[in-house]
Amino acid sequence: MKITVFGSGYVGLVTGACLAEVGNQVLCMDVDQNKIDQLKQGIIPIFEPGLEEMVRENQSAGRLHFTADVREAVDFGLFQFVAVGTPPDEDGSADLKYVLAVAKSIAEHMTDYKVIVDKSTVPVGTADKVKNTVADVLRQRGASLEFDIVSNPEFLKEGSALDDFMKPDRIIIGTDSHRSAELLRDLYAPFNRNRERVINMDIRSAELTKYAANAMLATKISFMNELANLAERLGADIEHVRHGIGSDTRIGYSFIYPGCGYGGSCFPKDVKALERTARDYGYHAELLSAVENVNDRQKHRLFEKIMAHYQGDLKGKRFALWGLAFKPNTDDMREAPSRVVLEALIEAGAEVQAYDPEALHEAQRIYGDKPGLSYCHNQLDTLQNVDALIIVTEWKQFRSPDFDQLHQQLNDKVIFDGRNMYEPKLVRQSGLQYYAIGRPV
């Protein structure tokens, strides 16, 4: 099959590469000519395990192509995937200008039947806006052409996106057209072989499903963080509680890890957008507001613990910071808790020596030569002449440090762990003070 993907960012590039991987002809289009030139040279603008190799292999095999030419993109594929950004507006709603711009471009250049597939995370009712945009442009052209709109939300986790696409839990197809439903089923057949993963539904339900999934996961995280803060006051250990409730199959262990808050491009944006949608329809979604508020507060917990330990005076203190990305196996720092922590430390007069296996270049793009912040290319380099260690991202390489070495190098013999990576007793046996989330001091 021939497929066009509008948008060569995270979702678009993963979608295009994976669809090409199973034998389809895929053309990825982006308005950023520089990005397209880099992609043609095999230079990938994001970090995602395995993606660079998959892109290069499918380019070499002649299945994956890139262009900045809109007409070429529209002409190319029966399927027109829309995978452009939907950044939050000032009021928290999703900004649909890029989605609707793509719809307009498709309508301006299409000459035959197209299946327009919303892959971007969009509010309920977006498919109607896309449909109306296409119909209006075709009417202005005096063209009588058929098209269908499909909602086919992505459920990709940064760090495991290729596996998520190639071995999906579910494939949501939201459409009112039997024709397009069957075409999408055929397109996804290679990913649907050992069991039925396709779930057909109406368009609005498909649009809501994506938001509902992310909001549910964000709710679990905020709920555990709320419990962690309570556990600290009660003298309980949230890690014991986590095991106790996770063993209940109705709850499970996924997304019940307490910490210093969630970040990334999805959860914060989607919770805000769903809350805004509720308001637009006259409903006050109290739980969604609470999820967002708890998370915003949780991002400050590490800094609060640091301030309490140092009795409010951080001037002249120097901290090693392990982890900048919002989660492991990505370089994404959007809404990352690390940003709240390091900015607060520097504002309070401290210095930060930061390390991340993948996100250093992103941090340099965001902060440049920010006074008080230095970048280290090895986690051990961060420990030179520092007073304390702060852990914000749970990369595997941070799991088993030499605590005796940390005791020797940290002037104040203290670790602030925002991801509960260590057993407190083990850390303290090395003569270190240890602050975690929801665990006894």
Side-chain angles (χ1 to χ4, degrees), residues 219-240:
T219 299
K220 292 182 73 173
I221 295 170
S222 280
F223 178 73
M224 285 304 294
N225 284 332
E226 194 84 302
L227 283 183
N229 295 334
L230 179 59
E232 290 181 4
R233 288 158 175 78
L234 297 175
D237 189 330
I238 194 62
E239 289 300 309
H240 295 165

Side-chain angles (χ1 to χ4, degrees), residues 68-285:
D69 187 318
V70 175
R71 183 182 294 276
E72 179 188 5
V74 176
D75 287 343
F76 185 84
L78 163 64
F79 298 97
Q80 304 274 306
F81 276 80
V82 182
V84 294
T86 53
D89 254 342
E90 291 182 8
D91 62 0
S93 63
D95 188 343
L96 297 177
K97 64 184 177 185
Y98 301 118
V99 171
L100 297 179
V102 170
K104 184 171 181 287
S105 294
I106 294 170
E108 287 171 342
H109 298 289
M110 62 187 285
T111 56
D112 54 6
Y113 172 70
K114 299 292 182 185
V115 181
I116 302 171
V117 184
D118 277 338
K119 202 70 176 170
S120 301
T121 301
V122 294
V124 176
T126 298
D128 293 337
K129 294 179 180 179
V130 171
K131 182 177 181 179
N132 291 337
T133 298
V134 174
D136 287 346
V137 173
L138 289 177
R139 193 178 306 113
Q140 292 167 16
R141 286 177 56 194
S144 181
L145 298 170
E146 292 185 55
F147 66 94
D148 282 315
I149 308 295
V150 178
S151 175
N152 174 224
E154 53 85 12
F155 297 96
L156 306 176
K157 298 186 294 291
E158 292 192 41
S160 60
L162 299 189
D163 277 347
D164 290 341
F165 198 104
M166 300 300 288
K167 303 171 186 176
D169 295 324
R170 73 288 211 193
I171 301 167
I172 302 293
I173 298 176
T175 181
D176 301 323
S177 161
H178 178 73
R179 179 184 184 183
S180 61
E182 289 305 306
L183 285 169
L184 263 294
R185 178 177 285 276
D186 290 343
L187 177 64
Y188 280 112
F191 310 96
N192 194 41
R193 298 189 67 179
N194 66 344
R195 68 174 176 83
E196 182 58 67
R197 291 178 168 90
V198 172
I199 303 174
N200 287 297
M201 60 182 70
D202 63 277
I203 293 178
R204 285 183 167 240
S205 295
E207 291 173 331
L208 181 56
T209 297
K210 168 62 178 181
Y211 277 115
N214 280 352
M216 173 63 80
L217 297 175
T219 299
K220 292 182 73 173
I221 295 170
S222 280
F223 178 73
M224 285 304 294
N225 284 332
E226 194 84 302
L227 283 183
N229 295 334
L230 179 59
E232 290 181 4
R233 288 158 175 78
L234 297 175
D237 189 330
I238 194 62
E239 289 300 309
H240 295 165
V241 176
R242 179 176 66 81
H243 285 288
I245 66 174
S247 60
D248 187 329
T249 56
R250 296 170 301 175
I251 298 172
Y253 289 101
S254 297
F255 287 85
I256 61 168
Y257 289 85
C260 51
Y262 60 75
S265 63
C266 295
F267 288 5
K269 172 176 70 71
D270 293 352
V271 170
K272 287 185 178 75
L274 187 55
E275 183 189 0
R276 174 65 192 191
T277 296
R279 270 187 279 144
D280 288 345
Y281 282 81
Y283 181 72
H284 176 46

Side-chain angles (χ1 to χ4, degrees), residues 222 225 260-263 268 271-272 275 288-301 304 335 337 340:
S222 280
N225 284 332
C260 51
Y262 60 75
V271 170
K272 287 185 178 75
E275 183 189 0
L288 294 177
S289 299
V291 168
E292 183 182 351
N293 291 337
V294 168
N295 189 60
D296 288 343
R297 184 181 65 199
Q298 198 68 17
K299 289 182 179 181
H300 292 86
R301 285 295 294 137
E304 290 168 0
E335 302 278 349
V340 174

